[in-house]
């Protein structure tokens, strides 16, 4: 009974309802501005809310978190500038849809699918939190390393053309992510004795430059072209569309929950893995992936929103943050005299159910705010390019500077923008570069932790992989995905299916 009352608290108290709504509204628009991250917004809120009661403070933070994860898709679709790292995969098919005049449809689909993904993540948090957290605890450093390798193999999905160019771009991203001081030994890597490089290169600066500035430069080739008029006939997707993509959304939401529950991963990796999964299981999409496939929106958006519920699982059950935002929320709970972890579930079960209720309410607000204002938002794409290009540059500069209040990040952003322009001009994909930067730290840190834990003995390292069921499954998955991307495998598959078709005709 107490659990039900705690769950309903946020629905029955107007003040809490208002705070969740305000937080979600702010989150949607903060998430839509490149560089203004949800992590930054929630961390700033701590200084304003430390004197509040715990329920109002958590309500506002949860609203911003849920809204911000969804909000990144707006600029990804309209301007090809992901508002957040988790929206990188959304831009791959969302922006081509906007170029065809279907921005309203794209935003409508992402909103509804984000709601479905968010709801599944919350349901798993409410029903199966202890079981999922127990599974997440089984991950050893070598498993995180294999997970990172799996992620790097996604270059095949993010490379619409040459796989070789995709591999080059991914390797470049890993190298960029390794710049700066080694976190374990504090030695300098790829710094060339330059002070500006000792702190590393901001991932947000690379992302905004590669997607934002390079897009503005590409648009310069078409300044005289008329803007694409958007067809806003039906924003909410039909029931048939939702039903058609429901099996895929359930699969990718599961990926999102599991990846979200792994400490140190988060929605960005979940979204990219879900996008790769969608490419593998969708046999005949109506539109090819990378050209505006609806499945390319469904998969990443359900996964990154399901990862929100997933990230709360280790936070609430173990006191371990699932991502940067839940790490800040743990700090907020400590400030209010609560100790997240197993004892919180025993001593203060009402707090757990209140957070579940606040997440449900924030998810409904996200659906409402996501489906309103679309007509106004799509006017951005219809602007003359002489106005749109300076707007993209302004957003890019503000976003890059806002991360660390550093002019150096603006220089990096502009440099990577020009580099990204030439990469696009010569047919090199940008997605694998960003993927490499995201996974570089995860791969590097966990490889060394794994090999140190085995006393730097490769034999023991591989023995650990073979004898651990989880490691073995991940290792086999790495091998299978790698082999499936080779030209030999593709030729063999074409030959096999070609023979089967001929036999069926006979």
């Amino acid at each position: 009974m107490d659990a039900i009352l705690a769950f309903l608290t946020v629905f029955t108290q107007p003040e809490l309802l208002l705070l969740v709504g305000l937080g979600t509204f702010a989150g949607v628009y903060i998430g839509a501005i490149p560089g203004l991250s949800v992590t930054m917004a929630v961390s700033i809120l701590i200084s304003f809310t430390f004197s509040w009661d715990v329920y109002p403070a958590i309500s506002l933070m949860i609203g911003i978190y849920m809204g911000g994860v969804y909000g990144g898709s707006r600029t990804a679709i309209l301007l090809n500038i992901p508002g957040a790292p988790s929206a990188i995969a959304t831009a791959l098919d969302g922006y081509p849809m906007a170029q065809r005049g279907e921005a309203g449809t794209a935003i409508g689909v992402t909103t509804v699918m984000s709601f479905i993904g968010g709801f599944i993540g919350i349901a798993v948090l409410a029903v199966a939190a202890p079981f999922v957290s127990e599974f997440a605890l089984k991950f050893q450093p070598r498993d995180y390393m294999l997970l990172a390798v799996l992620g790097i193999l996604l270059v095949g999905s993010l490379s619409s053309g040459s796989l070789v160019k995709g591999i080059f771009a991914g390797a470049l991203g890993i190298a960029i992510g390794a710049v700066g001081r080694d976190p374990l030994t504090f030695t300098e890597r790829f710094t060339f004795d330059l002070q500006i490089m000792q702190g590393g290169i901001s991932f947000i600066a690379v992302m905004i430059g590669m997607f934002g500035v390079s897009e503005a430069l590409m648009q310069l080739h078409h300044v005289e072209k008329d803007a694409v008029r958007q067809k806003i006939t039906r924003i909410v997707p039909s029931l048939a569309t939702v039903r058609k993509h429901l099996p895929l959304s359930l699969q990718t939401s599961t990926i999102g929950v599991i990846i979200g529950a792994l400490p140190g991963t988060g929605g960005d990796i979940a979204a990219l893995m879900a996008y790769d999964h969608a490419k593998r299981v969708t046999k005949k999409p109506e539109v090819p992936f990378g050209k505006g496939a609806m499945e390319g929106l469904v998969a990443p958006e359900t996964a990154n929103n399901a990862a929100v519920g997933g990230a709360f699982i280790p936070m609430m059950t173990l006191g371990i943050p699932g991502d940067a935002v839940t790490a800040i929320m743990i700090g907020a709970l400590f400030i209010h005299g609560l100790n997240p972890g197993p004892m919180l579930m025993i001593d203060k079960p009402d707090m757990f159910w209140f957070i579940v209720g606040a997440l449900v309410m924030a998810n409904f607000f996200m659906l409402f705010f996501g489906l309103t204002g679309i007509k106004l938002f799509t006017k951005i794409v219809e602007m003359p390019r002489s106005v749109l290009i300076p707007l993209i540059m302004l957003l890019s500069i503000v976003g890059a500077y806002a991360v660390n209040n550093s002019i150096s990040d603006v220089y990096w952003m502009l440099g990577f923008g020009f580099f990204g322009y030439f990469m696009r001009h010569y047919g090199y994909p940008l997605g694998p570069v960003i993927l490499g930067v995201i996974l570089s730290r995860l791969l590097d840190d966990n490889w060394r932790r794994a090999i140190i834990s085995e006393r730097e003995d490769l034999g023991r390292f591989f023995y650990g992989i073979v004898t651990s069921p989880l490691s073995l499954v991940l290792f086999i998955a790495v091998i299978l995905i790698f082999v499936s991307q080779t030209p030999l495998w593709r030729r063999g598959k074409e030959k096999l299916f070609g023979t089967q078709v001929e036999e069926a005709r006979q």
Side-chain angles (χ1 to χ4, degrees):
M1 190 67 184
D2 289 342
I4 295 170
L5 289 173
F7 176 79
L8 294 173
T9 303
V10 73
F11 297 88
T12 55
Q13 293 191 18
E15 178 200 359
L16 298 178
L17 207 60
L18 179 66
L19 286 170
V20 173
L22 280 174
T24 309
F25 179 80
V28 168
Y29 291 95
I30 288 168
I33 300 172
L36 297 186
S37 68
V38 182
T39 309
M40 185 195 307
V42 174
S43 60
I44 290 169
L45 271 181
I46 283 191
S47 60
F48 288 101
T49 61
F50 74 92
S51 60
W52 295 13
D53 288 337
V54 64
Y55 279 3
I58 294 297
S59 297
L60 191 59
M61 289 180 192
I62 283 174
I64 285 184
Y65 186 18
M66 186 65 81
V69 170
Y70 159 75
S73 63
R74 286 285 175 96
T75 43
I77 292 167
L78 297 174
L79 300 174
N80 201 25
I81 311 174
S86 57
I88 290 168
T90 307
L92 299 175
D93 286 281
Y95 186 63
M97 286 184 73
Q99 294 295 91
R100 294 202 307 261
E102 299 172 9
T105 304
I107 293 174
V109 168
T110 56
T111 305
V112 172
M113 290 303 166
S114 294
F115 173 78
I116 291 171
F119 184 77
I120 291 169
I122 297 163
V124 174
L125 169 65
V127 174
F131 305 106
V132 176
S133 62
E134 190 178 329
F135 174 70
L137 275 179
K138 291 179 180 176
F139 272 70
Q140 301 293 320
R142 62 172 175 265
D143 301 318
Y144 279 102
M145 187 210 75
L146 289 167
L147 195 66
V149 173
L150 264 177
I152 288 165
L153 291 176
L154 300 184
V155 293
S157 291
L158 301 179
S159 312
S160 52
S162 166
L163 180 62
V164 174
K165 287 181 177 179
I167 291 169
F168 169 79
L172 177 66
I174 292 171
I176 293 167
V179 171
R181 288 191 178 274
D182 185 320
L184 291 182
T185 63
F186 215 59
T187 53
E188 294 180 14
R189 298 188 298 193
F190 305 129
T191 60
F192 305 102
D193 290 328
L194 297 173
Q195 192 173 355
I196 193 175
M197 298 182 77
Q198 288 182 5
I201 300 171
S202 166
F203 158 60
I204 300 295
V206 178
M207 183 185 78
I208 294 173
M210 285 276 187
F211 283 96
V213 176
S214 71
E215 180 60 34
L217 295 173
M218 293 296 287
Q219 293 278 357
L220 287 173
H221 293 285
H222 312 288
V223 175
E224 302 303 322
K225 267 190 178 180
D226 292 332
V228 178
R229 293 290 162 194
Q230 300 297 319
K231 301 184 285 287
I232 312 292
T233 51
R234 179 169 185 157
I235 292 169
V236 181
S238 65
L239 194 61
T241 302
V242 175
R243 196 184 300 119
K244 177 186 174 184
H245 297 297
L246 192 60
L248 177 63
S249 66
L250 292 172
Q251 293 166 36
T252 51
S253 294
T254 304
I255 292 171
V257 172
I258 293 170
I259 299 297
L262 299 177
T265 50
D268 41 1
I269 296 174
L272 291 163
M273 287 193 160
Y275 186 83
D276 176 73
H277 175 76
K279 284 192 77 171
R280 292 180 189 281
V281 299
T282 308
K283 300 301 179 188
K284 293 180 181 178
E286 292 178 8
V287 180
F289 279 88
K291 304 291 184 184
M294 196 73 78
E295 293 83 359
L297 295 177
V298 171
E301 285 303 305
T302 48
N304 64 28
N305 281 272
V308 173
F312 273 92
I313 291 172
M315 169 190 151
M316 297 302 295
T317 58
L318 304 169
I320 301 169
D323 62 4
V325 179
T326 48
I328 295 165
M329 285 194 180
I330 284 176
L333 290 173
F334 272 123
I335 288 170
H336 289 92
L338 298 169
N339 188 9
M343 294 310 295
L344 182 71
M345 303 284 286
I346 298 166
D347 299 336
K348 281 275 194 179
D350 56 311
M351 176 52 66
F352 173 82
W353 289 107
F354 172 77
I355 285 174
V356 172
L359 283 167
V360 170
M361 199 67 246
N363 204 35
F364 277 107
F365 274 120
M366 183 267 292
L367 180 68
F368 174 73
F369 292 130
L371 293 174
T372 54
I374 289 178
K375 289 186 179 180
L376 184 65
F377 254 90
T378 52
K379 294 293 179 189
I380 294 172
V381 191
E382 296 179 355
M383 286 180 181
R385 283 182 169 81
S386 56
V387 177
L388 187 61
I389 293 169
L391 177 67
I392 292 173
M393 290 299 296
L394 180 65
L395 276 174
S396 300
I397 291 167
V398 170
Y401 183 78
V403 180
N404 299 311
N405 292 333
S406 168
I407 196 68
S408 300
D409 287 346
V410 178
Y411 296 148
W412 282 120
M413 180 269 298
L414 292 171
F416 280 107
F418 281 103
F419 187 65
Y421 165 75
F422 285 108
M423 285 185 70
R424 290 172 73 163
H425 187 71
Y426 289 104
Y428 285 85
L430 301 182
V433 179
I434 309 302
L435 180 67
V437 179
I438 291 171
L439 293 174
S440 178
R441 183 76 178 267
L442 187 70
L443 178 66
D444 181 26
D445 288 0
N446 286 291
W447 156 248
R448 286 193 292 170
R449 283 180 189 139
I451 203 70
I452 288 169
S453 67
E454 302 295 354
R455 299 177 187 174
E456 301 186 5
D457 185 336
L458 271 176
R460 288 182 57 171
F461 173 76
F462 282 107
Y463 179 75
I465 288 176
V466 173
T467 53
S468 164
L470 180 59
S471 301
L472 187 60
V473 167
L474 286 169
F475 184 70
I476 291 169
V478 166
I479 299 297
L480 289 176
I481 290 174
F482 176 76
V483 171
S484 71
Q485 294 187 11
T486 58
L488 189 66
W489 174 274
R490 287 175 191 158
R491 281 199 295 269
K493 194 165 72 168
E494 285 168 11
K495 194 173 180 181
L496 176 66
F497 283 111
T499 306
Q500 286 178 352
V501 170
E502 281 181 27
E503 287 176 357
R505 283 175 181 168
Q506 290 170 1

